[in-house]
Amino acid sequence: MATVPSPPPSPSPRPPPRTAFSPRCTALQNPSAYMYHCQLLNGAPQGYASPRHARARPPRERELDLAASYAREIGACVRERRWGAACEAFASMRTAGAAPDRFLLPQVLRACAGLGAPRLASAAHALAAKGGAALAGDPVVGNAIVAIAHADAGELEEAFDLFEEMQESGVRPDVISWNTLVSGFARSGDLVAALHLFDEMRQRGVDPGVNSWNCIISGCVQNALYDEALEFFLEMCESERPDAVTVASILPACAGLQALGIGKQLHSYVLRCGIKINVYVGASLIALYSECGEFDDARVVFSTIQEKNVNVWNELVQSYIREGSMDKAWEAFDLMQEDGLEPDIVTYNSFIAAYAKVGQNEQAYELFSRMADVGLKPNVVSMNALICGLHRHGLYTDALEAFRYMQRSSDGKSKGWAFLDNCDPIQPTGTTITGVLSLLADLKLDRLGKEVHCYALKNGLASNIYISSKLVDLYGKIGDMTSAANVFQKIGNKNVVTWNSLMAAYKHNRMPEVTLKLLGEMFQSNLHPNLVTVHIALMSCGVTMALGYGRELHSYITKCWPGGYPTTLASALINMYGKCGNIEDARLVFKSTVPKDIAVWNAMMSCYLLHRMPMDIIDLFNYLEQSGIQPDHITFILLLSACKQEGLFEEAQSYFYNMEDVYGIKPSLKHYTCMVDIMGSAGLLAESLTLIQKMPLKPDACLWSTVLKACKLHSNLEIGEKAAKALFELEPHNPSNYMVLSNIYADTGLLDASEAVRDAMTEQGLHVDRQCSWLYNGTTVHSFEAGNLSHPAIDAILSTWKHLTVRMEQSRYSTEDIGPYYNVEVDPLSCHHTEKIAVCYGLISTYDHQPIRISKNFRMCMECHSSIKFISRDMNREIIVSDGCTYHHFKDGTCSCRDAW
């Protein structure tokens, strides 16, 4: 961190907090009064005169006296922040015929902004334009219009246009106008425009000063751009001394980055410079310490603040909530009231979020009722917290209902939520839309997702980069990559999160080669990948067996994390090397990772499982027990799967029952599925049904699918029909279930029944997903999709296969079963399945000493398996195929899976 500057000569005090609105402020509550004000500001017709000032137009001297008296009244109202009274006084002034001067009009604009009345501000702006050069060309008025009438109202484009017109007409904007525009663009998230203005400001000879830097820093923090905020802060320290506003602005960035060390330096700077720890600085310090887990320090800061306001008490409440001390949080809630302060909406929202987060929804609902009892109405933050909590705990219907209810007035039909009966509709924000899109993405509800997308477009929220990123994620999860790519292309200022969303979407839709291509494009756009980016890329390397690309990523990780990379990346690297067929490099990463968490141990076990090395999994589990690290539910899934591979039924039972008795892990549905799989492989199909009936969980599609595949293995039609019936109810549109049942009928000689199942599939419009295989060569991932012969080397590929078929016939190669996913007659010696095409391309495009690495999205059929065994011996090539089910290492005519997968 840059050296913190020496104390300034005198710290600048903060302005006093705003007082409550005057009872005379009726413009927002009374529409007729609002229109009345607009008419008066533009020069009201006769008959609208104020009773106090209805008089004939006085001579010039009397007019000046009248204007001065109004100016004094308006000025007093503005100083006291009685915005409605100021607007009413100005309306009366216009009715009386008095005109504002260049000093009064900016105060009127300030009152309009404070009242939250942009139309009133526009009317005042029009009045300035009618006033000729004395008003329209005056820099004081022009700066006020830019700063107050437009920028503060969020009309940044209008403010910028007027700002440019002022400069073209010779009016020089002051530092306040520059700062207002910089702050407005920064707050809106358009950091590029804010920085451009900031640089132009300095080029025009306007000294930015501390306030300008504060605008940039505050805008970054408000948009969660914490790294950027800290960079600007360090740059500022080279030329300016931070003031109290700077410290209060940058501390939330330190909290967001968990940069406790920098936060403590800032705290020391405040004490050393004699900057008063007021409610703003104090609240930020409390938030920093509590978010970084230093709860005692947070309470020490709280005790040093002499005049506490509600914000400071809210931070103390949040501190206890973050610590998990709800009793102490409620105690602080009571002490706040004893201190003479009433809890506000923020206080209640803190408790609502805390209860919703842990699934205690009844307590959250009760808080809504308590708010209504004290005259508080839920706001959008309240509803966002509720929706997030409901979503997190699987209450999807209630979460969607809460979102719908936000937008409609009470009709007494709110799912019994009496606490919302008297609430007005609440306008969703970007945070709301982001949360709802996340919920819809998890549920893959494409129609509702598109409706929310339309809502975002209509309400100007689609430009929000977080909403856009979540839309890409939604469309990716429902398989609509065209829409996902379109949304991505329309995003103006793409960030790392946006790129991650699109990369993850392509990986999810079995297009990992596109994911790796996008990573290169991301580098070209001068964006640096973060941990999530690298994780997605490593998984894509594993799917495509792109070992060379994965090694490049490993080098990149080592450079970015020279002191040791996170265990999440260590796990991803182990998985990548394992899926690329390099078990030795996976072991090296595992051994070099210190300390190891359970995810790292599980990753290594998963590699052994993929390579069909079950005894290595059991040995590694024994080492895990000696290390003192507690195994988790995933560890036991891997252990049970290892027992299945090795046929260790009794050992599997021992692990299964020891899970809860010894390790305190209650078996989940996945563990029961593993046991059913083990029993099914051993032919104990009746016993597996008994286990299903006795288990305390409702069987899902995965479990019944496991039973159905076991019935295919043992040609058990009776139990197979039971499993298929359950599957058709749970997954009516999954074609693989129909195909397996069809094959069971065929295996038992019931060919008519087999055809009937396939005909039913066709009638329902169900089709098996296309097979796809990938081969990584050089810097390119080559994809081969079933039925697609568009590869540039397709002629050479088919010629190579023709040569191989001749060799097979000469060697009296015997064909085997094609597999369960095709209902057409296929010549087993044809280049039909995509892994065969990939192998042929590997033979003609790689060196003889290089292994051919292929991955595919379907389980290999027996015919392809035996064909590649032949090719590995006949061509003396090492061929590695990962089919998602297991890892096949072909060499000298044998396979590492021992022909069992």
Side-chain angles (χ1 to χ4, degrees):
M1 177 181 173
T3 305
V4 175
S6 56
S10 57
S12 55
R14 293 281 297 192
R18 293 185 177 184
T19 57
F21 284 148
S22 164
R24 294 174 61 191
C25 176
T26 59
L28 288 181
Q29 294 140 4
N30 189 336
S32 61
Y34 180 84
M35 295 304 300
Y36 168 72
H37 289 154
C38 288
Q39 291 171 331
L40 292 180
L41 282 171
N42 288 292
Q46 297 297 324
Y48 279 94
S50 167
R52 292 188 296 143
H53 301 290
R55 61 190 72 175
R57 183 175 179 82
R60 178 63 179 166
E61 293 80 7
R62 191 169 181 183
E63 180 182 341
L64 292 175
D65 290 341
L66 182 62
S69 66
Y70 276 112
R72 286 192 295 272
E73 181 180 356
I74 292 169
C77 292
V78 170
R79 285 192 297 275
E80 296 171 7
R81 289 174 168 74
R82 294 188 290 117
W83 314 121
C87 289
E88 289 175 0
F90 183 66
S92 298
M93 176 183 181
R94 291 290 296 137
T95 302
D101 60 13
R102 60 191 290 263
F103 300 107
L104 180 60
L105 195 56
Q107 295 195 62
V108 174
L109 288 168
R110 188 181 177 194
C112 293
L115 189 61
R119 290 178 60 190
L120 289 176
S122 298
H125 181 189
L127 182 63
K130 294 177 184 177
L135 287 180
D138 187 88
V140 175
V141 176
N143 287 322
I145 293 173
V146 169
I148 302 171
H150 292 306
D152 285 352
E155 300 170 350
L156 294 173
E157 294 300 326
E158 293 84 349
F160 184 76
D161 291 343
L162 179 60
F163 185 78
E164 292 289 294
E165 291 174 11
M166 286 171 57
Q167 296 184 83
E168 291 172 2
S169 62
V171 179
R172 184 182 180 187
D174 61 10
V175 70
I176 296 175
S177 293
W178 284 99
N179 286 348
T180 305
L181 275 178
V182 169
S183 177
F185 280 110
R187 284 198 310 269
S188 70
D190 193 348
L191 199 58
V192 174
L195 291 175
H196 176 76
L197 283 167
F198 189 71
D199 292 337
E200 185 181 349
M201 176 183 181
R202 291 188 280 189
Q203 292 170 5
R204 300 266 178 121
V206 180
D207 182 16
V210 176
N211 290 338
S212 304
W213 286 101
N214 289 346
C215 291
I216 289 285
I217 293 169
S218 178
C220 290
V221 170
Q222 289 179 40
N223 286 277
L225 301 171
Y226 301 133
D227 286 310
E228 291 84 348
L230 199 54
E231 288 177 11
F232 289 124
F233 171 71
L234 297 178
E235 186 180 348
M236 170 190 169
C237 289
E238 296 173 3
S239 58
E240 302 287 346
R241 293 189 181 96
D243 60 9
V245 177
T246 318
V247 174
S249 298
I250 195 61
L251 281 172
C254 297
L257 295 171
Q258 294 287 295
L260 182 60
I262 298 176
K264 286 185 174 180
Q265 289 187 50
L266 285 165
H267 192 179
S268 299
Y269 172 76
V270 167
L271 298 174
R272 198 167 65 245
C273 297
I275 297 176
K276 182 180 178 182
I277 301 184
N278 56 21
V279 291
Y280 304 103
V281 175
S284 296
L285 281 170
I286 295 170
L288 166 76
Y289 285 123
S290 62
E291 286 188 32
C292 292
E294 302 290 334
F295 301 109
D296 291 337
D297 289 341
R299 279 137 217 173
V300 169
V301 173
F302 176 83
S303 65
T304 60
I305 302 173
Q306 295 180 352
E307 297 181 5
K308 302 176 179 67
N309 65 359
V310 175
N311 291 337
V312 174
W313 277 101
N314 285 343
E315 290 297 342
L316 181 67
V317 169
Q318 276 280 17
S319 173
Y320 284 122
I321 289 174
R322 289 191 185 101
E323 192 180 19
S325 304
M326 294 301 292
D327 291 340
K328 291 184 179 179
W330 281 112
E331 187 178 330
F333 180 90
D334 295 333
L335 290 172
M336 181 195 310
Q337 297 175 83
E338 293 178 12
D339 201 32
L341 297 169
E342 288 299 323
D344 62 5
I345 187 70
V346 176
T347 323
Y348 282 95
N349 285 346
S350 299
F351 284 104
I352 289 171
Y355 285 123
K357 186 176 181 180
V358 296
Q360 297 181 2
N361 298 318
E362 293 302 323
Q363 289 86 336
Y365 298 157
E366 183 182 345
L367 281 165
F368 277 96
S369 300
R370 289 183 62 174
M371 285 167 60
D373 293 341
V374 296
L376 292 173
K377 289 188 176 182
N379 62 8
V380 69
V381 178
S382 318
M383 298 305 295
N384 287 349
L386 182 63
I387 291 170
C388 180
L390 292 169
H391 175 202
R392 181 176 302 194
H393 292 276
L395 300 172
Y396 301 123
T397 303
D398 286 348
L400 287 174
E401 183 68 21
F403 172 64
R404 292 191 186 97
Y405 198 75
M406 286 176 67
Q407 304 163 71
R408 66 171 184 257
S409 57
S410 176
D411 57 5
K413 299 177 182 178
S414 57
K415 291 184 69 66
W417 291 346
F419 53 82
L420 291 177
D421 283 348
N422 298 316
C423 293
D424 298 326
I426 300 171
Q427 186 74 14
T429 63
T431 303
T432 320
I433 301 300
T434 303
V436 171
L437 286 172
S438 179
L439 165 65
L440 297 176
D442 289 347
L443 295 176
K444 298 182 181 180
L445 297 176
D446 53 341
R447 185 181 62 80
L448 287 175
K450 289 175 181 177
E451 288 180 8
V452 175
H453 188 179
C454 291
Y455 177 88
L457 288 169
K458 289 179 182 177
N459 290 274
L461 295 171
S463 60
N464 183 308
I465 197 164
Y466 300 103
I467 291 178
S468 299
S469 299
K470 192 53 67 176
L471 281 169
V472 172
D473 179 59
L474 167 72
Y475 285 122
K477 285 182 177 175
I478 64 176
D480 186 355
M481 286 309 302
T482 301
S483 296
N486 287 339
V487 172
F488 178 81
Q489 292 300 331
K490 292 176 183 177
I491 299 173
N493 299 313
K494 299 178 180 69
N495 62 9
V496 177
V497 175
T498 314
W499 283 91
N500 289 348
S501 297
L502 188 65
M503 290 169 65
Y506 276 110
K507 180 195 167 293
H508 176 76
N509 285 277
R510 297 178 177 179
M511 291 185 275
E513 70 281 7
V514 182
T515 298
L516 296 178
K517 181 182 176 183
L518 285 171
L519 180 62
E521 294 178 9
M522 181 180 173
F523 273 113
Q524 292 173 4
S525 67
N526 296 320
L527 278 174
H528 296 290
N530 61 11
L531 189 146
V532 176
T533 320
V534 177
H535 197 274
I536 294 169
L538 285 171
M539 288 191 291
S540 298
C541 289
V543 173
T544 57
M545 297 191 78
L547 180 61
Y549 212 136
R551 282 178 170 154
E552 290 181 15
L553 282 170
H554 193 173
S555 299
Y556 177 81
I557 291 168
T558 304
K559 290 176 182 177
C560 292
W561 286 274
Y565 39 80
T567 55
T568 52
L569 288 184
S571 301
L573 281 168
I574 293 169
N575 280 317
M576 182 273 295
Y577 280 122
K579 289 179 179 178
C580 288
N582 198 323
I583 195 72
E584 292 304 321
D585 280 354
R587 280 198 187 106
L588 285 174
V589 175
F590 175 76
K591 290 177 180 177
S592 62
T593 303
V594 179
K596 300 175 180 65
D597 61 9
I598 189 59
V600 174
W601 288 87
N602 288 342
M604 194 65 237
M605 289 184 186
S606 180
C607 285
Y608 286 140
L609 185 69
L610 184 64
H611 287 256
R612 301 192 71 86
M613 301 166 67
M615 296 312 298
D616 291 86
I617 295 176
I618 294 172
D619 291 341
L620 197 60
F621 177 73
N622 294 332
Y623 286 119
L624 171 64
E625 289 187 306
Q626 295 171 17
S627 72
I629 296 177
Q630 180 74 9
D632 63 6
H633 65 287
I634 296 175
T635 315
F636 283 97
I637 291 174
L638 295 167
L639 268 176
L640 293 172
S641 301
C643 291
K644 188 234 176 183
Q645 283 186 356
E646 195 68 16
L648 304 174
F649 177 65
E650 293 182 0
E651 288 81 351
Q653 282 187 314
S654 175
Y655 285 128
F656 182 77
Y657 291 113
N658 282 344
M659 275 178 59
E660 188 167 9
D661 297 341
V662 178
Y663 301 98
I665 300 172
K666 185 173 289 188
S668 69
L669 201 53
K670 290 184 178 180
H671 297 107
Y672 280 102
T673 302
C674 287
M675 287 302 300
V676 168
D677 193 13
I678 294 167
M679 297 168 80
S681 298
L684 304 173
L685 293 169
E687 289 81 354
S688 68
L689 281 184
T690 302
L691 178 65
I692 292 171
Q693 293 168 358
K694 290 182 177 179
M695 69 182 190
L697 303 168
K698 186 177 180 180
D700 64 355
C702 182
L703 189 146
W704 283 119
S705 176
T706 302
V707 174
L708 186 63
K709 289 173 183 176
C711 292
K712 166 67 174 70
L713 180 65
H714 298 284
S715 300
N716 189 314
L717 180 58
E718 181 183 356
I719 296 178
E721 286 180 327
K722 291 180 180 178
K725 181 180 179 181
L727 280 169
F728 294 156
E729 292 178 359
L730 293 168
E731 293 181 333
H733 304 298
N734 187 341
S736 64
N737 299 326
Y738 292 85
M739 293 305 300
V740 177
L741 178 61
S742 174
N743 285 329
I744 294 175
Y745 281 129
D747 290 344
T748 54
L750 300 175
L751 298 181
D752 290 342
S754 175
E755 286 299 320
V757 172
R758 294 173 188 247
D759 290 342
M761 256 184 79
T762 304
E763 290 175 4
Q764 296 182 54
L766 301 179
H767 302 282
V768 178
D769 291 340
R770 286 182 178 270
Q771 283 201 26
C772 189
S773 294
W774 298 272
L775 181 141
Y776 182 82
N777 185 23
T779 59
T780 308
V781 177
H782 297 268
S783 61
F784 303 92
E785 188 176 293
N788 186 343
L789 301 179
S790 62
H791 193 277
I794 190 63
D795 291 337
I797 290 170
L798 294 176
S799 177
T800 302
W801 180 256
K802 185 176 181 181
H803 169 73
L804 289 171
T805 56
V806 172
R807 301 279 296 174
M808 289 180 188
E809 289 173 339
Q810 291 174 349
S811 302
R812 297 182 181 180
Y813 164 77
S814 60
T815 61
E816 299 189 44
D817 178 31
I818 289 294
Y821 294 109
Y822 295 90
N823 58 351
V824 293
E825 291 296 328
V826 177
D827 179 4
L829 292 180
S830 69
C831 192
H832 179 73
H833 289 177
T834 56
E835 59 265 49
K836 291 180 182 177
I837 299 176
V839 167
C840 291
Y841 183 68
L843 290 172
I844 63 178
S845 64
T846 61
Y847 294 108
D848 291 344
H849 66 276
Q850 285 182 313
I852 298 173
R853 301 176 187 276
I854 299 167
S855 63
K856 63 170 298 185
N857 62 345
F858 271 90
R859 177 181 180 270
M860 286 184 74
C861 71
M862 294 179 67
E863 196 281 321
C864 286
H865 192 268
S866 59
S867 296
I868 298 176
K869 281 199 300 182
F870 173 85
I871 295 170
S872 70
R873 182 183 70 247
D874 189 69
M875 303 299 292
N876 193 26
R877 294 297 298 268
E878 192 176 349
I879 303 171
I880 300 163
V881 180
S882 173
D883 66 357
C885 174
T886 192
Y887 172 95
H888 305 270
H889 188 168
F890 299 94
K891 188 176 181 180
D892 298 329
T894 62
C895 180
S896 59
C897 74
R898 293 174 289 181
D899 298 337
W901 73 101

